[in-house]
Amino acid sequence: MAMTKQALFTRTLLRGLVSIAVFLILWELGARSKQWLMLDAFEWLRSVLAAVGWDKKYLPWIGAVPAPTEVLKAWVAVLGEQGYWHSWYMSFFRVMGGFIAAMIIGIPFGLLLAVSRTAYGIGFPVFEVLRPIPPLAWVPASIIFWPTQELSITFVTFLGAFYTIVINVVGGAKSIDVRYFQAARSMGSSQWDIFRRIILPGTLPSIVVGSAVGMGITWEVVVAAEMISGGGSQIGGTSGGGLGFFIWNSYVGGSYEQIVVGMISIGIAGFLSSELLRALGKYVTPWLRLR
Amino acid sequence: MNQTETTKQKIDAGEIIVANMSKYYGAVQFHKDVVKDCSFAIERGKLTVMIGPSGCGKSTLIRLLAGFEKPSSGTITLNGHPITGPAHDRLVLFQETALFPWMTTYDNILYGPRARGEVTKETLDLAEFLLNKVGLQDFRRKYPMQLSGGMQRRAELARAMINNPQVMILDEPFRGLDAMTKELMWEYYSTLYEENRRTNFFVTTDIDEAIFLADRLLIMSNIPTQVRAVLEVDVPRPRKLTDIVENDRANEIKMEALSILHEEAMKSFSRGSKAAADFVEAYSRRVAKT
Ligand SMILES: Nc1ncnc2c1ncn2[C@@H]1O[C@H](COP(=O)(O)OP(=O)(O)OP(=O)(O)O)[C@@H](O)[C@H]1O
Ligand SMILES: [Mg+2]
């Protein structure tokens, strides 16, 4: 049993590595050839496109993207810069700030909506009216509303995670099997006991899922908010703007390799925070960790 | 069975009387009678089995007995006192496992005493005793999902018994187990009952299960349900599955029960019920076999 699992794991790992390697090679070749996937070799395709009135120049051109080797070079150069690491720090700081605030406010709020009919009646309509507004639409209002840029970016990040967490908590708590409540009540549980030992653990898996999704949204939002608000740092310049501003600044400065460096950095940052959350989630829900 | 085992808990067997009880759902046009003018007794210290066609309202009856819902009319009393809501003097084993998935076997078993703040040295001893009794001492730290179907049912029996209920109510507890495990559970459960002689109310759709377990057999009509017949299963205990197959008295009662069930099914079959049609088919095959 353990053997086959081991074998399965290495095979999956191998496939993953091969797929990434193939991707990088294609990218490198494409970027170096300065052609769009060797379109010239596909004369017929070009004539088809021309026939429907589509000029070749309107096609995305991989030759314009820096090759992975060049990106790596730029990355190595930037690794020594304090500004790059500070961007990491700033984005992480904002994501964590917004995310943790969303957990601290969202989980109790969601639980309250789930257990109290009155709270649900009063709170949910407002929540539902505000929810469809995308967090990024809040950026200008947020900048006006909050005293510092830092707070306004964190607030928008908070919104990104908040709705998802609340929706998941409410849904999770409401879908707890009614027989658990019946069994608990039969055995003499008080309301508080039911909350603590049935509702809370019963909602935990949904909290974990909501947090994971919320974390993803948080990264999307923070990057965009940093770009829109110009980094919003007191330190100023590239150094304090976060990874989103790092990308924007690289674009403005014409350093295309750095754009890709920034993109991959965000990918890594998002992956790391998701993994951290996943590990934490597994830790708090040991009963789901069975296979 | 040794002396300490039997004296571990002082069994306080209760008696439930259901009198002229009805239960319907929905208003006017959605009105649905599920239980209609139903009366029966769950006698003290006996294992009463209720058998009835699928969908006739057995689980509804159980929710009423447990106090999760209130009857539309009529009364239910436990030892002469009306039932007003759920309490640990009447505990239910549901049709499917209702162990708390986020608690280990041990925490599940101790749920009731902890909820009522009754965790004493005796309770912990009793928990140990019950863990052994249901054969789960090595699974105390496992979560329900890690237990087999039969183990889950046994853990749930222990979780109920630790509260020393006056009546144990079981709603088709062995449905969904494989045939082998099911028969093991019959013997297991029957021994458990013979040891403590608690009042038990056991609901089933399986005639063999019913005959093997019952002291008294209540045969229910189709929906809206009522008691069609009461049979005393006067087969001596302790019972063994191997013996009961050849026990003439048991087979006689089985035939009698089947003919009543068949009659009941035919009635609703003529009214065009699909469930009843399946029922007739299933049981006529059975009757032909025996
Ligand atoms: N809350 C409810 N509202 C409306 N109808 C209900 C409700 N609960 C049960 N019923 C109806 O009562 C009937 C009997 O249901 P019940 O679950 O009690 O039957 P059962 O005998 O336990 O069936 P099974 O053998 O499938 O377990 C069903 O037809 C169902 O539609
Ligand atoms: Mg049922």
Side-chain angles (χ1 to χ4, degrees):
Chain A
M1 198 57 212
M3 274 296 289
T4 53
K5 226 172 204 171
Q6 198 74 33
L8 206 69
F9 178 68
T10 48
R11 184 177 293 180
T12 329
L13 190 70
L14 195 72
R15 276 191 195 139
L17 289 176
V18 167
S19 122
I20 291 173
V22 168
F23 170 74
L24 285 176
I25 289 168
L26 281 180
W27 174 10
E28 182 80 34
L29 288 179
R32 281 188 187 281
S33 72
K34 302 287 175 204
Q35 281 177 6
W36 191 83
L37 282 182
M38 295 181 288
L39 194 60
D40 290 331
F42 296 95
E43 201 50 51
W44 60 270
L45 180 60
R46 192 139 63 118
S47 38
V48 169
L49 288 174
V52 294
W54 200 342
D55 197 309
K56 187 184 160 190
K57 71 179 182 225
Y58 293 126
L59 287 170
W61 186 41
I62 197 170
V65 177
T69 44
E70 282 159 41
V71 171
L72 192 67
K73 235 179 282 170
W75 204 349
V76 171
V78 102
L79 280 180
E81 277 177 32
Q82 209 200 332
Y84 171 69
W85 292 112
H86 201 73
S87 299
W88 267 82
Y89 171 73
M90 289 312 291
S91 290
F92 249 106
F93 187 76
R94 289 165 183 151
V95 162
M96 288 305 158
F99 179 75
I100 291 171
M103 298 263 281
I104 291 176
I105 301 172
I107 294 172
F109 181 63
L111 287 173
L112 182 70
L113 291 190
V115 298
S116 159
R117 223 177 268 268
T118 322
Y120 191 84
I122 297 171
F124 201 67
V126 181
F127 180 80
E128 275 302 277
V129 166
L130 292 180
R131 193 164 69 98
I133 305 173
L136 289 179
W138 283 86
V139 171
S142 175
I143 292 174
I144 297 166
F145 182 71
W146 291 93
T148 69
Q149 288 249 321
E150 200 52 56
L151 281 173
S152 53
I153 294 179
T154 307
F155 174 69
V156 174
T157 324
F158 158 82
L159 287 178
F162 179 70
Y163 295 119
T164 316
I165 290 177
V166 172
I167 284 292
N168 271 278
V169 171
V170 174
K174 281 188 179 270
S175 64
I176 296 175
D177 195 328
V178 65
R179 293 171 317 147
Y180 297 151
F181 294 108
Q182 292 176 336
R185 276 202 298 151
S186 288
M187 288 186 279
S189 268
S190 63
Q191 293 288 348
W192 166 243
D193 197 53
I194 287 180
F195 178 77
R196 201 169 51 93
R197 291 168 76 201
I198 308 293
I199 297 180
L200 219 48
T203 314
L204 257 180
S206 313
I207 294 181
V208 170
V209 170
S211 306
V213 178
M215 180 58 96
I217 300 176
T218 304
W219 273 104
E220 286 169 25
V221 169
V222 83
V223 166
E226 283 169 352
M227 286 183 177
I228 296 169
S229 67
S233 165
Q234 300 93 322
I235 303 165
T238 331
S239 55
L243 288 170
F245 190 68
F246 178 87
I247 294 176
W248 191 248
N249 211 46
S250 305
Y251 169 70
V252 173
S255 168
Y256 294 169
E257 291 79 12
Q258 268 196 30
I259 296 180
V260 183
V261 168
M263 287 166 65
I264 298 175
S265 303
I266 288 164
I268 295 173
F271 174 75
L272 286 181
S273 29
S274 297
E275 278 302 296
L276 184 74
L277 218 57
R278 218 189 311 264
L280 218 66
K282 273 189 181 168
Y283 178 74
V284 296
T285 55
W287 65 95
L288 299 178
R289 213 184 342 172
L290 306 177
R291 261 194 260 198
Chain B
M1 156 175 45
N2 65 43
Q3 194 53 36
T4 52
E5 278 182 25
T6 42
T7 54
K8 205 76 195 180
Q9 260 182 329
K10 200 182 161 299
I11 305 298
D12 184 10
E15 181 168 54
I16 290 181
I17 308 278
V18 174
N20 308 102
M21 182 180 72
S22 299
K23 178 70 182 176
Y24 60 84
Y25 291 104
V28 228
Q29 70 270 45
F30 300 110
H31 184 96
K32 175 157 186 147
D33 285 312
V34 179
V35 183
K36 200 163 192 182
D37 196 23
C38 183
S39 302
F40 61 91
I42 300 173
E43 290 178 5
R44 197 181 306 276
K46 287 204 175 153
L47 205 173
T48 304
V49 173
M50 172 177 277
I51 189 168
S54 197
C56 75
K58 302 181 298 298
S59 295
T60 304
L61 258 171
I62 281 185
R63 288 197 299 277
L64 295 164
L65 293 177
F68 302 141
E69 290 175 22
K70 300 220 173 337
S72 307
S73 67
T75 58
I76 312 174
T77 56
L78 172 65
N79 298 335
H81 304 292
I83 283 169
T84 52
H88 71 277
D89 51 21
R90 285 159 281 125
L91 290 182
V92 178
L93 247 75
F94 294 97
Q95 217 162 296
E96 267 137 54
T97 177
L99 289 167
F100 305 123
W102 47 86
M103 289 182 194
T104 59
T105 307
Y106 188 70
D107 289 336
N108 261 294
I109 292 177
L110 273 180
Y111 186 92
R114 281 182 182 152
R116 301 188 300 277
E118 289 172 4
V119 184
T120 58
K121 176 80 178 57
E122 285 83 72
T123 323
L124 294 177
D125 284 349
L126 184 58
E128 284 313 312
F129 167 78
L130 287 172
L131 260 175
N132 275 293
K133 176 106 271 177
V134 298
L136 292 175
Q137 57 276 40
D138 295 337
F139 294 86
R140 65 172 69 220
R141 271 185 264 283
K142 299 279 186 231
Y143 290 98
M145 255 186 260
Q146 292 169 295
L147 305 179
S148 70
M151 287 174 172
Q152 289 178 347
R153 277 10 292 258
R154 281 182 278 144
E156 232 167 324
L157 279 169
R159 180 175 77 171
M161 287 191 296
I162 200 170
N163 302 290
N164 202 7
Q166 296 192 22
V167 182
M168 287 264 280
I169 302 170
L170 302 95
D171 189 359
E172 297 187 60
F174 307 141
R175 173 148 129 179
L177 298 179
D178 62 89
M180 179 89 149
T181 314
K182 201 169 184 173
E183 293 191 350
L184 285 173
M185 287 302 292
W186 291 350
E187 292 203 314
Y188 178 82
Y189 168 73
S190 158
T191 313
L192 207 60
Y193 163 73
E194 282 157 10
E195 277 176 25
N196 60 39
R197 298 281 170 165
R198 207 188 292 278
T199 309
N200 271 250
F201 183 62
F202 191 107
V203 164
T204 186
T205 44
D206 182 330
I207 186 71
D208 293 311
E209 181 171 86
I211 301 287
F212 178 65
L213 295 176
D215 289 324
R216 292 177 75 234
L217 185 58
L218 308 181
I219 302 177
M220 306 306 286
S221 73
N222 260 306
I223 193 164
T225 204
Q226 275 181 331
V227 178
R228 268 287 275 108
V230 181
L231 304 181
E232 298 287 332
V233 185
D234 43 5
V235 176
R237 292 180 182 277
R239 297 179 189 162
K240 283 271 158 265
L241 253 172
T242 40
D243 302 340
I244 204 132
V245 186
E246 285 156 18
N247 186 305
D248 291 337
R249 181 64 188 134
N251 284 324
E252 200 180 301
I253 301 169
K254 180 174 166 180
M255 292 319 293
E256 189 179 348
L258 277 176
S259 72
I260 300 169
L261 281 165
H262 191 250
E263 209 178 286
E264 190 55 39
M266 283 317 284
K267 247 190 264 167
S268 56
F269 187 35
S270 58
R271 288 203 300 265
S273 149
K274 167 82 178 76
D278 294 344
F279 190 74
V280 169
E281 208 210 341
Y283 275 104
S284 27
R285 252 193 279 122
R286 259 222 168 101
V287 174
K289 215 167 57 184
T290 29

